Amino acid sequence: MSTTTVSLNRKELFLRACHGEALPRVPVWMMRQAGRYLPEYRELRAKHAFLEVCKTPDLAVEVSMQPFRRLGVDAIIVFSDILIQAEAMGLPLELGDTGPNLPEPVRSLDAVKKLRNFDPEKETAFLMEAIRRIVRTAGQEVPVLGFAAAPWTLSCYMVEGRTNEGFPTVKSFLYSEPTSFRELLHRIVQATIGYLKAQIAAGAAAVQLFDTWCGELALPDYWEFALPAVQEVISAVRGKVPVIYYTKASRHLLSAVAESGADVLSCDWRVNLAELHAAVGPKIALQGNLDPAVLFAPQEYIRETTRGILGQLGGVGHILNLGHGILPGTPVENAQTFITTGQQFSFAENAEAK
Ligand code: CP3
């Protein structure tokens, strides 16, 4: 290995991966890496409610740092939730043990028109402050990630009010009042652009858009509604920092997802990364995609499956991650095995090419 590659710090490694470059080793982190599988997270949550943690920079910084300290992940995602933005746009939010609840969902044009384009430095000052403090605490050599919901997924929660199998209410709104629904997406897009720009100004090295529920849409509806909205967000923030676009259960949408403009596509375990790479080409990097349930398997199975994923891209334009958030109850030592297996897997040929 040459000295140049040995000295790459975590942020350089991460940004090179986002730009589709060949890497001596891949960077690795986990979606929902600050969460209930960590005893130190559970301990803190026993004393503080979820939204209190999100809105108190000291606490948000502490939980964001926990997986970095314990597991040595290569990126730190700021602790928050995609629904913080819904609240900032004017919708009351409850996040209890049964998942999120928006008691005043948006189901008419009148309700859409009441949504605010908020000032992220005021309404979500706690998040920007948390990002600034994480950057100071972790140092310039570690990438800190900001995030937001993709417009379609945020609209699902705003209209449905909660996670609801099949999302019938949001779909009926879309089909029966397409113009009002477009106005909702438009307002979400405008707010999301300001929200992400503020996170970038606060020090986020990259941002991720979560489109957890895009897989619920048929391809024509994804093309017509979800894609233009996410494209608008991405084109407004891209160039400042890389944009990662996460989609779940989206195999049927991938030809369209590839048109999003994102630097990195993050996908779940239903997709083969080598096939996706062949389909989207070398300009788009990929993130993923171990099934989080594999972290309940024997250690050797975790290592083998992780190595199999690494082999699919050969360490070129790849950020190793799970295919969705880590599950509560995951043994911490298994999460560690995943991280370490990723970090120890060296792509000697990539290092020598430098
Ligand atoms: O990745 C990270 O570590 C950063 C933190 C983060 C959370 N939520 C913390 C959280 C991120 C990036 C999210 C995004 C998010 N939130 C998504 C998109 C990604 C995904 O998981 O699909 C969605 C759909 C939400 C909405 C949401 N928040 C749901 C459906 C739930 C309940 C389900 C659950 O896991 O409990 C939440 C709560 C939530 N957000 C928790 C955490 C750690 C659990 C709350 C707790 O501590 O009790």
Side-chain angles (χ1 to χ4, degrees):
M1 236 188 243
S2 75
T3 44
T4 7
T5 53
V6 168
S7 65
L8 281 182
N9 65 40
R10 285 182 160 95
K11 195 196 271 183
E12 291 164 337
L13 202 59
F14 194 91
L15 293 176
R16 284 191 187 206
C18 291
H19 294 132
E21 293 177 30
L23 309 158
R25 73 160 180 93
V26 302
V28 45
W29 67 286
M30 297 180 295
M31 287 184 274
R32 293 271 180 105
Q33 62 190 11
R36 286 162 293 190
Y37 73 105
L38 284 178
E40 55 270 41
Y41 176 87
R42 292 197 300 270
E43 201 179 302
L44 191 135
R45 280 279 286 102
K47 290 182 242 142
H48 305 279
F50 178 73
L51 284 177
E52 182 192 351
V53 181
C54 294
K55 294 178 182 180
T56 312
D58 273 350
L59 300 176
V61 173
E62 166 57 25
V63 290
S64 305
M65 293 300 295
Q66 285 175 349
F68 180 68
R69 284 199 299 255
R70 180 177 294 237
L71 305 171
V73 291
D74 290 310
I76 302 175
I77 185 161
V78 63
F79 191 80
S80 184
D81 194 87
I82 58 166
L83 298 173
I84 290 285
Q85 182 184 341
E87 190 182 47
M89 291 178 73
L91 294 185
L93 168 66
E94 296 161 3
L95 256 160
D97 290 339
T98 53
N101 182 32
L102 301 161
E104 293 171 30
V106 174
R107 296 186 181 166
S108 66
L109 185 57
D110 268 0
V112 170
K113 287 186 171 161
K114 287 194 189 119
L115 293 170
R116 296 192 298 259
N117 188 353
F118 64 100
D119 177 350
E121 281 292 352
K122 284 207 181 99
E123 308 276 332
T124 53
F126 49 84
L127 176 64
M128 309 313 151
E129 183 55 24
I131 293 175
R132 283 189 284 267
R133 288 196 206 171
I134 297 166
V135 173
R136 275 205 301 273
T137 310
Q140 283 302 326
E141 300 194 339
V142 184
V144 174
L145 311 180
F147 70 88
W152 161 254
T153 287
L154 193 57
S155 79
C156 286
Y157 284 102
M158 284 183 153
V159 177
E160 210 72 45
R162 61 194 170 97
T163 311
N164 189 15
E165 177 70 29
F167 290 89
T169 322
V170 67
K171 284 189 179 176
S172 83
F173 190 43
L174 178 159
Y175 295 129
S176 52
E177 293 187 51
T179 314
S180 308
F181 188 72
R182 269 184 219 289
E183 179 61 24
L184 171 61
L185 286 177
H186 173 72
R187 286 180 185 237
I188 292 174
V189 165
Q190 295 310 311
T192 307
I193 291 170
Y195 189 52
L196 289 175
K197 281 186 175 170
Q199 295 183 46
I200 294 163
V207 292
Q208 177 154 329
L209 285 163
F210 285 94
D211 217 349
T212 308
W213 303 118
C214 68
E216 299 287 329
L217 288 170
L219 182 58
D221 294 331
Y222 179 83
W223 267 113
E224 205 180 325
F225 293 94
L227 182 64
V230 77
Q231 281 172 328
E232 207 180 329
V233 173
I234 292 172
S235 70
V237 297
R238 198 184 165 211
K240 300 182 199 333
V241 298
V243 179
I244 306 167
Y245 180 36
Y246 171 75
T247 63
K248 190 173 76 131
S250 60
R251 267 192 77 92
H252 62 301
L253 305 175
L254 288 173
S255 56
V257 166
E259 302 294 318
S260 66
D263 301 274
V264 185
L265 295 182
S266 184
C267 47
D268 73 16
W269 56 94
R270 297 168 180 90
V271 177
N272 176 289
L273 295 183
E275 285 172 19
L276 183 59
H277 178 74
V280 302
K283 288 199 181 128
I284 304 179
L286 301 179
Q287 177 173 273
N289 65 346
L290 187 81
D291 181 346
V294 169
L295 296 185
F296 290 95
Q299 297 253 333
E300 198 42 41
Y301 188 83
I302 298 169
R303 281 191 210 96
E304 281 309 308
T305 316
T306 303
R307 288 183 191 130
I309 291 169
L310 290 163
Q312 290 174 27
L313 295 177
V316 180
H318 185 198
I319 300 164
L320 183 64
N321 204 320
L322 304 174
H324 193 207
I326 189 167
L327 296 162
T330 299
V332 179
E333 60 275 22
N334 291 1
Q336 183 72 74
T337 297
F338 171 64
I339 301 293
T340 311
T341 304
Q343 291 176 334
Q344 288 178 348
F345 199 95
S346 116
F347 296 90
E349 65 283 15
N350 294 346
E352 278 154 21
K354 294 276 156 204

